[in-house]
Amino acid sequence: MNIILLGPPGAGKGTQSDFLRDQYGLTKLATGDMLRAAVASGSELGKKAKAVMESGGLVSDDIMIGIIREAISDKNCPNGFILDGFPRTTAQAEALDAMLAAEGKKIDHVIELEVNDAEMVARISGRFSCGKCGAGFHDSFKPPKVKDTCDSCGAVGAFTRRADDKAETVAKRLEQYHAMTAPLLPYYRARGSLHGVNGMAPIAEVTTALQKLIGKKAAA
Ligand code: ADP
Ligand code: ADP
Ligand code: ZN
């Protein structure tokens, strides 16, 4: 099974794709995480991506398509994949369709997490994650059970905040989303594969809605 999770920055794509990975045994392909790892390692890719990411812009389609081409291999995704953060432009969506068609594969579900702009800003400004295992948290909506301690791996004092989650950059990222990524909604709607889920609901309710959608479709 192959899934695309669409939605603006802060919609909950990362949070929900962790659940879908664990529940359905899918490989989570989060392009933002891949790029941040490249920046941290100082690789050629990281050097190219760093300034663009910090400005809230989009990394070039050529680079992103190259990353995904490698990532979606059967070897890497034995049970299928969940895409979090890709595609982000129409060119990326078209390239993905062509890659999948060439291998006789398809996307089973394209799911939009629907949230409004005010909620996105609240989500992003309180977001932090565990630098050891990557688990995501939020100051108000998902605080760790024990202060300064990761619920998932137990690391203490290892929380980090993203460089691009600051107020100046968030406005640019939202603008990019509306201009470049929102056109993917009619693109997938026209193919009959788009489903909306209310992303404004609490985390557990969003997960239940996703499970209903995916479980139901899988059985049909
Ligand atoms: P995305 O990957 O779409 O940018 P995240 O999954 O990182 O979004 O979520 C952004 C922030 O909002 C995180 O701090 C996360 O803990 C929190 N969050 C995610 N989903 C919800 C929700 N349904 N309600 C409240 N907060 C949420
Ligand atoms: P968010 O969780 O806020 O939606 P991501 O972690 O997915 O953000 O992405 C962080 C940044 O990485 C983006 O602002 C962009 O600069 C870059 N990026 C990630 N995925 C893509 C993509 N598919 N195309 C272009 N740029 C991307
Ligand atoms: Zn952790």
Side-chain angles (χ1 to χ4, degrees):
M1 180 162 55
N2 299 317
I3 297 175
I4 296 176
L5 265 195
L6 288 177
K13 302 182 298 296
T15 303
Q16 298 300 334
S17 51
D18 283 348
F19 283 112
L20 298 178
R21 175 194 58 205
D22 297 344
Q23 162 122 30
Y24 296 98
L26 304 174
T27 304
K28 174 183 171 181
L29 302 175
T31 43
D33 289 349
M34 295 175 194
L35 292 170
R36 280 184 289 279
V39 170
S41 78
S43 68
E44 275 312 305
L45 166 64
K47 282 180 201 150
K48 282 187 195 150
K50 188 169 190 280
V52 181
M53 292 173 79
E54 277 175 5
S55 75
L58 293 182
V59 175
S60 79
D61 287 334
D62 281 355
I63 291 182
M64 298 313 302
I65 291 163
I67 292 178
I68 286 299
R69 193 185 299 283
E70 298 216 341
I72 61 173
S73 68
D74 287 337
K75 195 169 138 246
N76 197 35
C77 308
N79 299 322
F81 54 77
I82 164 152
L83 283 171
D84 160 10
F86 185 99
R88 250 181 165 92
T89 65
T90 305
Q92 292 178 16
E94 288 170 349
L96 177 65
D97 278 348
M99 282 181 237
L100 294 172
E103 298 192 26
K105 292 186 198 165
K106 65 178 177 66
I107 299 293
D108 299 278
H109 306 279
V110 181
I111 301 169
E112 178 196 7
L113 292 178
E114 300 160 338
V115 294
N116 63 34
D117 283 10
E119 180 72 10
M120 290 178 221
V121 173
R123 298 260 181 101
I124 293 174
S125 51
R127 166 161 64 185
F128 60 96
S129 64
C130 173
K132 261 230 163 99
C133 75
F137 296 90
H138 191 281
D139 291 322
S140 319
F141 307 135
K142 196 187 176 198
K145 293 194 178 87
V146 180
K147 196 171 175 289
D148 289 331
T149 307
C150 176
D151 293 359
S152 295
C153 74
V156 178
F159 292 138
T160 64
R161 286 179 197 257
R162 280 168 48 174
D164 61 344
D165 275 354
K166 52 183 190 293
E168 310 88 271
T169 320
V170 170
K172 170 83 185 286
R173 285 162 58 205
L174 288 187
E175 190 190 299
Q176 292 281 319
Y177 176 78
H178 290 299
M180 306 300 292
T181 309
L184 294 180
L185 301 171
Y187 177 93
Y188 286 116
R189 196 174 290 122
R191 283 159 178 71
S193 47
L194 183 72
H195 297 275
V197 164
N198 175 20
M200 301 286 289
I203 294 174
E205 283 180 30
V206 178
T207 304
T208 304
L210 290 172
Q211 285 168 335
K212 270 197 187 139
L213 184 68
I214 295 165
K216 197 172 70 200
K217 285 277 288 212

